[in-house]
mmCIF file of all heavy atoms in Angstrom:
data_model
loop_
_atom_site.group_PDB
_atom_site.id
_atom_site.type_symbol
_atom_site.label_atom_id
_atom_site.label_comp_id
_atom_site.label_asym_id
_atom_site.label_seq_id
_atom_site.Cartn_x
_atom_site.Cartn_y
_atom_site.Cartn_z
ATOM 1 N N MET U 1 9.772 9.579 1.622
ATOM 2 C CA MET U 1 8.482 9.469 2.333
ATOM 3 C C MET U 1 7.899 7.959 1.992
ATOM 4 O O MET U 1 7.798 7.651 0.911
ATOM 5 C CB MET U 1 7.458 10.407 1.888
ATOM 6 C CG MET U 1 7.779 11.861 2.376
ATOM 7 S SD MET U 1 7.490 12.083 4.142
ATOM 8 C CE MET U 1 5.674 11.936 4.179
ATOM 9 N N ALA U 2 7.267 7.308 3.001
ATOM 10 C CA ALA U 2 6.639 6.136 2.805
ATOM 11 C C ALA U 2 5.392 6.265 1.941
ATOM 12 O O ALA U 2 4.792 7.409 1.878
ATOM 13 C CB ALA U 2 6.292 5.460 4.045
ATOM 14 N N TYR U 3 4.962 5.168 1.170
ATOM 15 C CA TYR U 3 3.652 5.198 0.506
ATOM 16 C C TYR U 3 2.528 5.214 1.546
ATOM 17 O O TYR U 3 2.597 4.566 2.561
ATOM 18 C CB TYR U 3 3.648 4.044 -0.537
ATOM 19 C CG TYR U 3 4.259 4.373 -1.694
ATOM 20 C CD1 TYR U 3 5.703 4.545 -1.839
ATOM 21 C CD2 TYR U 3 3.566 4.499 -2.934
ATOM 22 C CE1 TYR U 3 6.298 4.725 -3.014
ATOM 23 C CE2 TYR U 3 4.219 4.796 -4.147
ATOM 24 C CZ TYR U 3 5.592 4.836 -4.147
ATOM 25 O OH TYR U 3 6.159 5.146 -5.326
ATOM 26 N N VAL U 4 1.501 5.768 1.137
ATOM 27 C CA VAL U 4 0.332 5.756 1.971
ATOM 28 C C VAL U 4 -0.910 5.363 1.026
ATOM 29 O O VAL U 4 -1.021 5.744 -0.124
ATOM 30 C CB VAL U 4 -0.112 7.133 2.549
ATOM 31 C CG1 VAL U 4 -1.385 7.194 3.368
ATOM 32 C CG2 VAL U 4 1.067 7.617 3.508
ATOM 33 N N ILE U 5 -1.784 4.470 1.522
ATOM 34 C CA ILE U 5 -2.905 4.008 0.784
ATOM 35 C C ILE U 5 -4.170 4.915 1.028
ATOM 36 O O ILE U 5 -4.549 5.171 2.145
ATOM 37 C CB ILE U 5 -3.278 2.514 1.139
ATOM 38 C CG1 ILE U 5 -2.216 1.651 0.721
ATOM 39 C CG2 ILE U 5 -4.567 2.183 0.555
ATOM 40 C CD1 ILE U 5 -2.412 0.195 1.123
ATOM 41 N N GLY U 6 -4.660 5.525 -0.025
ATOM 42 C CA GLY U 6 -5.693 6.511 0.013
ATOM 43 C C GLY U 6 -7.042 5.937 0.144
ATOM 44 O O GLY U 6 -7.359 4.652 0.070
ATOM 45 N N GLU U 7 -8.075 6.726 0.213
ATOM 46 C CA GLU U 7 -9.485 6.340 0.319
ATOM 47 C C GLU U 7 -9.954 5.605 -0.797
ATOM 48 O O GLU U 7 -11.035 4.974 -0.786
ATOM 49 C CB GLU U 7 -10.274 7.586 0.600
ATOM 50 C CG GLU U 7 -10.032 8.307 1.974
ATOM 51 C CD GLU U 7 -10.202 7.382 3.142
ATOM 52 O OE1 GLU U 7 -11.136 6.559 3.169
ATOM 53 O OE2 GLU U 7 -9.377 7.561 4.098
ATOM 54 N N ALA U 8 -9.401 5.667 -1.919
ATOM 55 C CA ALA U 8 -9.835 4.940 -3.090
ATOM 56 C C ALA U 8 -9.638 3.450 -2.997
ATOM 57 O O ALA U 8 -10.274 2.647 -3.823
ATOM 58 C CB ALA U 8 -8.999 5.424 -4.379
ATOM 59 N N CYS U 9 -8.876 2.908 -2.053
ATOM 60 C CA CYS U 9 -8.717 1.535 -1.837
ATOM 61 C C CYS U 9 -10.082 0.772 -1.737
ATOM 62 O O CYS U 9 -10.918 1.168 -1.011
ATOM 63 C CB CYS U 9 -7.879 1.357 -0.565
ATOM 64 S SG CYS U 9 -7.603 -0.409 -0.116
ATOM 65 N N ILE U 10 -10.127 -0.367 -2.551
ATOM 66 C CA ILE U 10 -11.357 -1.125 -2.469
ATOM 67 C C ILE U 10 -11.038 -2.492 -1.765
ATOM 68 O O ILE U 10 -11.809 -3.421 -1.841
ATOM 69 C CB ILE U 10 -11.734 -1.460 -3.951
ATOM 70 C CG1 ILE U 10 -10.669 -2.019 -4.815
ATOM 71 C CG2 ILE U 10 -12.261 -0.155 -4.471
ATOM 72 C CD1 ILE U 10 -11.092 -2.560 -6.252
ATOM 73 N N SER U 11 -9.916 -2.489 -1.097
ATOM 74 C CA SER U 11 -9.569 -3.708 -0.155
ATOM 75 C C SER U 11 -9.573 -4.986 -1.053
ATOM 76 O O SER U 11 -10.035 -6.078 -0.510
ATOM 77 C CB SER U 11 -10.574 -3.915 0.962
ATOM 78 O OG SER U 11 -10.449 -2.883 1.850
ATOM 79 N N CYS U 12 -8.936 -4.992 -2.235
ATOM 80 C CA CYS U 12 -8.854 -6.191 -3.075
ATOM 81 C C CYS U 12 -7.764 -7.023 -2.598
ATOM 82 O O CYS U 12 -7.746 -8.253 -2.873
ATOM 83 C CB CYS U 12 -8.705 -5.776 -4.550
ATOM 84 S SG CYS U 12 -7.153 -5.058 -4.851
ATOM 85 N N GLY U 13 -6.733 -6.467 -1.965
ATOM 86 C CA GLY U 13 -5.602 -7.323 -1.419
ATOM 87 C C GLY U 13 -4.593 -7.559 -2.495
ATOM 88 O O GLY U 13 -3.582 -8.227 -2.089
ATOM 89 N N ALA U 14 -4.618 -7.046 -3.624
ATOM 90 C CA ALA U 14 -3.652 -7.302 -4.733
ATOM 91 C C ALA U 14 -2.145 -6.903 -4.327
ATOM 92 O O ALA U 14 -1.281 -7.415 -4.819
ATOM 93 C CB ALA U 14 -4.178 -6.718 -6.044
ATOM 94 N N CYS U 15 -2.203 -5.801 -3.669
ATOM 95 C CA CYS U 15 -0.892 -5.198 -3.265
ATOM 96 C C CYS U 15 -0.057 -5.956 -2.294
ATOM 97 O O CYS U 15 1.222 -5.899 -2.301
ATOM 98 C CB CYS U 15 -1.025 -3.709 -2.848
ATOM 99 S SG CYS U 15 -2.150 -3.722 -1.419
ATOM 100 N N VAL U 16 -0.773 -6.748 -1.342
ATOM 101 C CA VAL U 16 -0.065 -7.373 -0.351
ATOM 102 C C VAL U 16 1.072 -8.300 -0.879
ATOM 103 O O VAL U 16 2.257 -8.225 -0.243
ATOM 104 C CB VAL U 16 -1.029 -8.242 0.465
ATOM 105 C CG1 VAL U 16 -0.341 -9.017 1.590
ATOM 106 C CG2 VAL U 16 -2.123 -7.303 1.162
ATOM 107 N N ALA U 17 0.866 -9.179 -1.740
ATOM 108 C CA ALA U 17 1.835 -10.036 -2.232
ATOM 109 C C ALA U 17 2.933 -9.393 -2.953
ATOM 110 O O ALA U 17 4.089 -9.955 -3.098
ATOM 111 C CB ALA U 17 1.231 -11.205 -3.113
ATOM 112 N N GLU U 18 2.732 -8.193 -3.369
ATOM 113 C CA GLU U 18 3.799 -7.415 -4.257
ATOM 114 C C GLU U 18 4.851 -6.793 -3.378
ATOM 115 O O GLU U 18 5.917 -6.397 -3.871
ATOM 116 C CB GLU U 18 3.075 -6.462 -5.093
ATOM 117 C CG GLU U 18 2.098 -6.957 -6.229
ATOM 118 C CD GLU U 18 2.746 -8.060 -7.001
ATOM 119 O OE1 GLU U 18 3.804 -7.781 -7.570
ATOM 120 O OE2 GLU U 18 2.081 -9.005 -7.381
ATOM 121 N N CYS U 19 4.469 -6.489 -2.103
ATOM 122 C CA CYS U 19 5.356 -5.776 -1.180
ATOM 123 C C CYS U 19 6.557 -6.709 -0.803
ATOM 124 O O CYS U 19 6.320 -7.724 -0.195
ATOM 125 C CB CYS U 19 4.557 -5.298 -0.003
ATOM 126 S SG CYS U 19 5.679 -4.296 1.141
ATOM 127 N N PRO U 20 7.823 -6.212 -1.069
ATOM 128 C CA PRO U 20 8.936 -7.069 -0.677
ATOM 129 C C PRO U 20 9.297 -7.138 0.754
ATOM 130 O O PRO U 20 10.062 -8.042 1.200
ATOM 131 C CB PRO U 20 10.093 -6.476 -1.390
ATOM 132 C CG PRO U 20 9.675 -5.038 -1.672
ATOM 133 C CD PRO U 20 8.191 -5.067 -1.836
ATOM 134 N N VAL U 21 8.669 -6.171 1.533
ATOM 135 C CA VAL U 21 8.945 -6.129 3.011
ATOM 136 C C VAL U 21 7.750 -6.374 3.868
ATOM 137 O O VAL U 21 7.685 -6.225 5.050
ATOM 138 C CB VAL U 21 9.668 -4.743 3.278
ATOM 139 C CG1 VAL U 21 11.120 -4.725 2.693
ATOM 140 C CG2 VAL U 21 8.733 -3.720 2.988
ATOM 141 N N ASP U 22 6.583 -6.910 3.288
ATOM 142 C CA ASP U 22 5.444 -7.214 3.944
ATOM 143 C C ASP U 22 4.947 -6.133 4.800
ATOM 144 O O ASP U 22 4.542 -6.329 5.968
ATOM 145 C CB ASP U 22 5.648 -8.427 4.860
ATOM 146 C CG ASP U 22 5.741 -9.750 4.063
ATOM 147 O OD1 ASP U 22 5.231 -9.789 2.930
ATOM 148 O OD2 ASP U 22 6.419 -10.672 4.476
ATOM 149 N N ALA U 23 4.983 -4.834 4.179
ATOM 150 C CA ALA U 23 4.555 -3.614 4.959
ATOM 151 C C ALA U 23 2.988 -3.384 4.834
ATOM 152 O O ALA U 23 2.517 -2.521 5.611
ATOM 153 C CB ALA U 23 5.287 -2.593 4.455
ATOM 154 N N ILE U 24 2.376 -4.210 4.111
ATOM 155 C CA ILE U 24 0.885 -3.911 3.874
ATOM 156 C C ILE U 24 0.000 -4.955 4.540
ATOM 157 O O ILE U 24 0.167 -6.127 4.522
ATOM 158 C CB ILE U 24 0.561 -3.907 2.320
ATOM 159 C CG1 ILE U 24 1.514 -3.049 1.503
ATOM 160 C CG2 ILE U 24 -0.861 -3.442 2.151
ATOM 161 C CD1 ILE U 24 1.400 -3.124 0.019
ATOM 162 N N SER U 25 -1.032 -4.390 5.292
ATOM 163 C CA SER U 25 -1.937 -5.329 5.930
ATOM 164 C C SER U 25 -3.333 -4.628 5.833
ATOM 165 O O SER U 25 -3.601 -3.576 5.512
ATOM 166 C CB SER U 25 -1.600 -5.469 7.408
ATOM 167 O OG SER U 25 -1.619 -4.106 8.079
ATOM 168 N N GLU U 26 -4.324 -5.576 6.102
ATOM 169 C CA GLU U 26 -5.700 -5.105 5.986
ATOM 170 C C GLU U 26 -6.057 -4.268 7.263
ATOM 171 O O GLU U 26 -5.820 -4.600 8.379
ATOM 172 C CB GLU U 26 -6.652 -6.302 5.997
ATOM 173 C CG GLU U 26 -8.117 -5.905 5.724
ATOM 174 C CD GLU U 26 -8.918 -7.108 5.320
ATOM 175 O OE1 GLU U 26 -8.473 -8.346 5.600
ATOM 176 O OE2 GLU U 26 -10.129 -6.957 5.068
ATOM 177 N N GLY U 27 -6.602 -3.031 6.991
ATOM 178 C CA GLY U 27 -6.926 -2.234 7.956
ATOM 179 C C GLY U 27 -8.541 -1.997 8.122
ATOM 180 O O GLY U 27 -9.259 -2.821 7.616
ATOM 181 N N ASP U 28 -8.923 -0.884 8.655
ATOM 182 C CA ASP U 28 -10.283 -0.690 8.988
ATOM 183 C C ASP U 28 -10.930 0.101 7.667
ATOM 184 O O ASP U 28 -10.808 1.205 7.592
ATOM 185 C CB ASP U 28 -10.555 0.109 10.190
ATOM 186 C CG ASP U 28 -12.057 0.290 10.432
ATOM 187 O OD1 ASP U 28 -12.873 -0.349 9.936
ATOM 188 O OD2 ASP U 28 -12.309 1.277 11.308
ATOM 189 N N GLY U 29 -11.574 -0.710 6.822
ATOM 190 C CA GLY U 29 -12.139 -0.164 5.545
ATOM 191 C C GLY U 29 -11.214 0.010 4.413
ATOM 192 O O GLY U 29 -11.645 0.171 3.327
ATOM 193 N N LYS U 30 -9.877 -0.091 4.624
ATOM 194 C CA LYS U 30 -8.959 -0.037 3.546
ATOM 195 C C LYS U 30 -7.682 -0.714 4.036
ATOM 196 O O LYS U 30 -7.527 -0.906 5.275
ATOM 197 C CB LYS U 30 -8.749 1.293 3.035
ATOM 198 C CG LYS U 30 -8.087 2.197 4.011
ATOM 199 C CD LYS U 30 -7.993 3.596 3.437
ATOM 200 C CE LYS U 30 -7.223 4.638 4.322
ATOM 201 N NZ LYS U 30 -5.885 4.311 4.694
ATOM 202 N N TYR U 31 -6.779 -1.018 3.174
ATOM 203 C CA TYR U 31 -5.517 -1.622 3.514
ATOM 204 C C TYR U 31 -4.596 -0.455 3.944
ATOM 205 O O TYR U 31 -4.753 0.719 3.599
ATOM 206 C CB TYR U 31 -4.960 -2.361 2.324
ATOM 207 C CG TYR U 31 -5.435 -3.828 2.272
ATOM 208 C CD1 TYR U 31 -6.903 -4.046 2.281
ATOM 209 C CD2 TYR U 31 -4.569 -4.922 2.360
ATOM 210 C CE1 TYR U 31 -7.355 -5.302 2.099
ATOM 211 C CE2 TYR U 31 -5.173 -6.179 2.364
ATOM 212 C CZ TYR U 31 -6.494 -6.374 2.258
ATOM 213 O OH TYR U 31 -6.951 -7.631 2.121
ATOM 214 N N VAL U 32 -3.520 -0.883 4.712
ATOM 215 C CA VAL U 32 -2.664 0.161 5.357
ATOM 216 C C VAL U 32 -1.257 -0.296 5.103
ATOM 217 O O VAL U 32 -0.887 -1.443 5.040
ATOM 218 C CB VAL U 32 -2.947 0.512 6.779
ATOM 219 C CG1 VAL U 32 -4.277 1.108 6.995
ATOM 220 C CG2 VAL U 32 -2.899 -0.830 7.670
ATOM 221 N N ILE U 33 -0.368 0.704 4.968
ATOM 222 C CA ILE U 33 1.096 0.485 4.879
ATOM 223 C C ILE U 33 1.813 0.829 6.178
ATOM 224 O O ILE U 33 1.596 1.963 6.732
ATOM 225 C CB ILE U 33 1.710 1.356 3.662
ATOM 226 C CG1 ILE U 33 1.064 0.744 2.344
ATOM 227 C CG2 ILE U 33 3.122 1.321 3.676
ATOM 228 C CD1 ILE U 33 1.420 1.636 1.155
ATOM 229 N N ASN U 34 2.651 0.118 6.682
ATOM 230 C CA ASN U 34 3.495 0.448 7.703
ATOM 231 C C ASN U 34 4.612 1.335 7.283
ATOM 232 O O ASN U 34 5.584 0.919 6.596
ATOM 233 C CB ASN U 34 4.082 -0.866 8.416
ATOM 234 C CG ASN U 34 4.855 -0.642 9.588
ATOM 235 O OD1 ASN U 34 5.418 0.479 9.854
ATOM 236 N ND2 ASN U 34 4.953 -1.652 10.514
ATOM 237 N N ALA U 35 4.567 2.568 7.759
ATOM 238 C CA ALA U 35 5.613 3.554 7.326
ATOM 239 C C ALA U 35 6.971 3.211 7.839
ATOM 240 O O ALA U 35 7.930 3.628 7.255
ATOM 241 C CB ALA U 35 5.108 4.892 7.794
ATOM 242 N N GLU U 36 7.009 2.505 8.856
ATOM 243 C CA GLU U 36 8.324 2.137 9.422
ATOM 244 C C GLU U 36 9.082 1.101 8.496
ATOM 245 O O GLU U 36 10.295 1.088 8.530
ATOM 246 C CB GLU U 36 8.145 1.533 10.827
ATOM 247 C CG GLU U 36 7.503 2.448 11.899
ATOM 248 C CD GLU U 36 8.313 3.791 12.055
ATOM 249 O OE1 GLU U 36 9.512 3.710 12.176
ATOM 250 O OE2 GLU U 36 7.708 4.818 12.137
ATOM 251 N N THR U 37 8.335 0.270 7.809
ATOM 252 C CA THR U 37 9.042 -0.780 6.984
ATOM 253 C C THR U 37 8.950 -0.502 5.497
ATOM 254 O O THR U 37 9.806 -1.102 4.833
ATOM 255 C CB THR U 37 8.433 -2.115 7.320
ATOM 256 O OG1 THR U 37 7.023 -2.017 7.207
ATOM 257 C CG2 THR U 37 8.733 -2.554 8.780
ATOM 258 N N CYS U 38 8.150 0.344 5.046
ATOM 259 C CA CYS U 38 7.981 0.526 3.617
ATOM 260 C C CYS U 38 9.491 1.202 3.075
ATOM 261 O O CYS U 38 9.879 2.043 3.655
ATOM 262 C CB CYS U 38 6.887 1.682 3.449
ATOM 263 S SG CYS U 38 6.777 2.228 1.685
ATOM 264 N N ILE U 39 9.898 0.508 1.985
ATOM 265 C CA ILE U 39 11.170 0.983 1.433
ATOM 266 C C ILE U 39 10.887 1.912 0.201
ATOM 267 O O ILE U 39 11.769 2.149 -0.665
ATOM 268 C CB ILE U 39 12.009 -0.184 1.170
ATOM 269 C CG1 ILE U 39 11.386 -1.128 0.101
ATOM 270 C CG2 ILE U 39 12.516 -0.887 2.391
ATOM 271 C CD1 ILE U 39 12.297 -2.296 -0.401
ATOM 272 N N GLU U 40 9.614 2.218 -0.043
ATOM 273 C CA GLU U 40 9.256 3.230 -1.192
ATOM 274 C C GLU U 40 9.635 2.648 -2.578
ATOM 275 O O GLU U 40 10.128 3.370 -3.404
ATOM 276 C CB GLU U 40 9.949 4.541 -0.911
ATOM 277 C CG GLU U 40 9.750 5.112 0.417
ATOM 278 C CD GLU U 40 10.710 6.298 0.847
ATOM 279 O OE1 GLU U 40 11.075 6.977 -0.030
ATOM 280 O OE2 GLU U 40 11.003 6.276 2.026
ATOM 281 N N CYS U 41 9.363 1.378 -2.731
ATOM 282 C CA CYS U 41 9.698 0.782 -4.030
ATOM 283 C C CYS U 41 8.623 1.041 -5.148
ATOM 284 O O CYS U 41 8.965 0.891 -6.296
ATOM 285 C CB CYS U 41 9.973 -0.783 -3.853
ATOM 286 S SG CYS U 41 8.481 -1.679 -3.530
ATOM 287 N N GLY U 42 7.417 1.353 -4.616
ATOM 288 C CA GLY U 42 6.340 1.553 -5.698
ATOM 289 C C GLY U 42 5.679 0.300 -6.268
ATOM 290 O O GLY U 42 4.682 0.555 -6.925
ATOM 291 N N ALA U 43 5.973 -0.910 -5.716
ATOM 292 C CA ALA U 43 5.376 -2.026 -6.256
ATOM 293 C C ALA U 43 3.876 -2.170 -6.015
ATOM 294 O O ALA U 43 3.109 -2.569 -6.821
ATOM 295 C CB ALA U 43 6.061 -3.271 -5.804
ATOM 296 N N CYS U 44 3.445 -1.716 -4.894
ATOM 297 C CA CYS U 44 2.142 -1.639 -4.488
ATOM 298 C C CYS U 44 1.337 -0.737 -5.412
ATOM 299 O O CYS U 44 0.187 -0.992 -5.905
ATOM 300 C CB CYS U 44 1.936 -1.232 -3.124
ATOM 301 S SG CYS U 44 2.600 0.343 -2.646
ATOM 302 N N ALA U 45 1.828 0.389 -5.736
ATOM 303 C CA ALA U 45 1.210 1.403 -6.611
ATOM 304 C C ALA U 45 0.988 0.836 -8.030
ATOM 305 O O ALA U 45 -0.072 0.921 -8.547
ATOM 306 C CB ALA U 45 1.904 2.693 -6.722
ATOM 307 N N ASN U 46 1.952 0.040 -8.536
ATOM 308 C CA ASN U 46 1.938 -0.583 -9.793
ATOM 309 C C ASN U 46 0.919 -1.590 -9.862
ATOM 310 O O ASN U 46 0.301 -1.862 -10.874
ATOM 311 C CB ASN U 46 3.252 -1.071 -10.125
ATOM 312 C CG ASN U 46 4.344 0.102 -10.407
ATOM 313 O OD1 ASN U 46 3.985 1.090 -10.800
ATOM 314 N ND2 ASN U 46 5.551 -0.241 -10.262
ATOM 315 N N ALA U 47 0.705 -2.351 -8.772
ATOM 316 C CA ALA U 47 -0.165 -3.552 -8.757
ATOM 317 C C ALA U 47 -1.675 -3.095 -8.454
ATOM 318 O O ALA U 47 -2.548 -3.795 -8.681
ATOM 319 C CB ALA U 47 0.184 -4.414 -7.602
ATOM 320 N N CYS U 48 -1.869 -1.778 -7.934
ATOM 321 C CA CYS U 48 -3.238 -1.411 -7.487
ATOM 322 C C CYS U 48 -4.095 -0.978 -8.743
ATOM 323 O O CYS U 48 -3.735 -0.157 -9.540
ATOM 324 C CB CYS U 48 -3.037 -0.312 -6.563
ATOM 325 S SG CYS U 48 -4.733 0.303 -5.976
ATOM 326 N N PRO U 49 -5.339 -1.662 -8.764
ATOM 327 C CA PRO U 49 -6.264 -1.276 -9.873
ATOM 328 C C PRO U 49 -6.906 0.068 -9.802
ATOM 329 O O PRO U 49 -7.389 0.685 -10.849
ATOM 330 C CB PRO U 49 -7.352 -2.348 -9.860
ATOM 331 C CG PRO U 49 -7.282 -2.788 -8.301
ATOM 332 C CD PRO U 49 -5.877 -2.645 -7.929
ATOM 333 N N VAL U 50 -6.696 0.768 -8.619
ATOM 334 C CA VAL U 50 -7.413 2.008 -8.460
ATOM 335 C C VAL U 50 -6.378 3.063 -8.023
ATOM 336 O O VAL U 50 -6.788 4.198 -7.659
ATOM 337 C CB VAL U 50 -8.593 2.006 -7.471
ATOM 338 C CG1 VAL U 50 -9.689 1.217 -7.965
ATOM 339 C CG2 VAL U 50 -8.105 1.496 -6.159
ATOM 340 N N ASP U 51 -5.088 2.879 -8.235
ATOM 341 C CA ASP U 51 -4.065 3.828 -7.874
ATOM 342 C C ASP U 51 -4.091 4.393 -6.498
ATOM 343 O O ASP U 51 -3.988 5.688 -6.341
ATOM 344 C CB ASP U 51 -4.023 4.971 -8.918
ATOM 345 C CG ASP U 51 -3.476 4.625 -10.311
ATOM 346 O OD1 ASP U 51 -2.754 3.560 -10.365
ATOM 347 O OD2 ASP U 51 -3.988 5.105 -11.342
ATOM 348 N N ALA U 52 -4.483 3.608 -5.525
ATOM 349 C CA ALA U 52 -4.651 4.057 -4.223
ATOM 350 C C ALA U 52 -3.369 4.393 -3.438
ATOM 351 O O ALA U 52 -3.351 5.388 -2.722
ATOM 352 C CB ALA U 52 -5.624 3.048 -3.337
ATOM 353 N N PRO U 53 -2.253 3.577 -3.574
ATOM 354 C CA PRO U 53 -1.068 3.949 -2.869
ATOM 355 C C PRO U 53 -0.430 5.104 -3.544
ATOM 356 O O PRO U 53 -0.220 5.148 -4.737
ATOM 357 C CB PRO U 53 -0.198 2.663 -2.978
ATOM 358 C CG PRO U 53 -1.170 1.543 -3.394
ATOM 359 C CD PRO U 53 -2.179 2.319 -4.320
ATOM 360 N N ALA U 54 -0.032 6.089 -2.685
ATOM 361 C CA ALA U 54 0.799 7.206 -3.305
ATOM 362 C C ALA U 54 1.717 7.711 -2.282
ATOM 363 O O ALA U 54 1.599 7.502 -1.059
ATOM 364 C CB ALA U 54 -0.203 8.283 -3.697
ATOM 365 N N GLN U 55 2.730 8.459 -2.716
ATOM 366 C CA GLN U 55 3.673 9.115 -1.707
ATOM 367 C C GLN U 55 3.086 10.461 -1.407
ATOM 368 O O GLN U 55 2.718 11.303 -2.367
ATOM 369 C CB GLN U 55 5.073 9.180 -2.387
ATOM 370 C CG GLN U 55 5.898 7.942 -2.197
ATOM 371 C CD GLN U 55 7.219 8.074 -2.752
ATOM 372 O OE1 GLN U 55 7.446 8.388 -4.023
ATOM 373 N NE2 GLN U 55 8.275 7.777 -1.959
ATOM 374 N N GLU U 56 2.996 10.767 -0.217
ATOM 375 C CA GLU U 56 2.499 12.073 0.193
ATOM 376 C C GLU U 56 3.558 13.174 0.420
ATOM 377 O O GLU U 56 4.673 12.817 0.556
ATOM 378 C CB GLU U 56 1.655 11.898 1.514
ATOM 379 C CG GLU U 56 0.515 10.950 1.249
ATOM 380 C CD GLU U 56 -0.632 11.170 2.229
ATOM 381 O OE1 GLU U 56 -0.402 11.502 3.425
ATOM 382 O OE2 GLU U 56 -1.789 11.051 1.781
HETATM 383 FE FE1 SF4 F 1 5.757 -2.271 0.198
HETATM 384 FE FE2 SF4 F 1 7.041 -0.993 -1.837
HETATM 385 FE FE3 SF4 F 1 4.496 -0.375 -1.349
HETATM 386 FE FE4 SF4 F 1 6.284 0.328 0.399
HETATM 387 S S1 SF4 F 1 6.100 1.042 -1.793
HETATM 388 S S2 SF4 F 1 4.335 -0.607 0.833
HETATM 389 S S3 SF4 F 1 7.774 -1.266 0.297
HETATM 390 S S4 SF4 F 1 5.242 -2.272 -2.098
HETATM 391 FE FE1 SF4 F 2 -6.284 -1.278 -1.856
HETATM 392 FE FE2 SF4 F 2 -5.072 -0.998 -4.136
HETATM 393 FE FE3 SF4 F 2 -4.046 -2.677 -2.383
HETATM 394 FE FE4 SF4 F 2 -6.260 -3.351 -3.584
HETATM 395 S S1 SF4 F 2 -4.188 -3.141 -4.534
HETATM 396 S S2 SF4 F 2 -5.948 -3.519 -1.324
HETATM 397 S S3 SF4 F 2 -7.273 -1.336 -3.899
HETATM 398 S S4 SF4 F 2 -4.299 -0.426 -2.122
#
């Protein structure tokens, strides 16, 4: 399952540069992950200050 960014996201952008496949972009009120390209590496979760990305 791809990672999904939850409502805790504060749109800091820290995760974007950590994603090896550029799957993260700014969305409406929070950042979003493209489930088609996410390779489930977990780098975004490790970089996030509020633990917003998670596998559902
Ligand atoms: Fe990118 Fe890895 Fe996060 Fe998926 S889990 S969005 S591939 S950093
Ligand atoms: Fe949102 Fe966390 Fe990414 Fe910052 S690092 S944009 S809080 S998901």
Side-chain angles (χ1 to χ4, degrees):
M1 290 290 291
Y3 275 67
V4 176
I5 294 176
E7 296 300 323
C9 176
I10 55 174
S11 296
C12 71
C15 54
V16 176
E18 302 302 319
C19 181
V21 294
D22 289 332
I24 308 172
S25 59
E26 190 168 6
D28 185 16
K30 67 182 179 68
Y31 276 56
V32 292
I33 291 170
N34 183 336
E36 300 296 318
T37 52
C38 174
I39 57 171
E40 304 163 38
C41 70
C44 53
N46 290 334
C48 181
V50 294
D51 289 332
Q55 277 181 306
E56 300 204 323

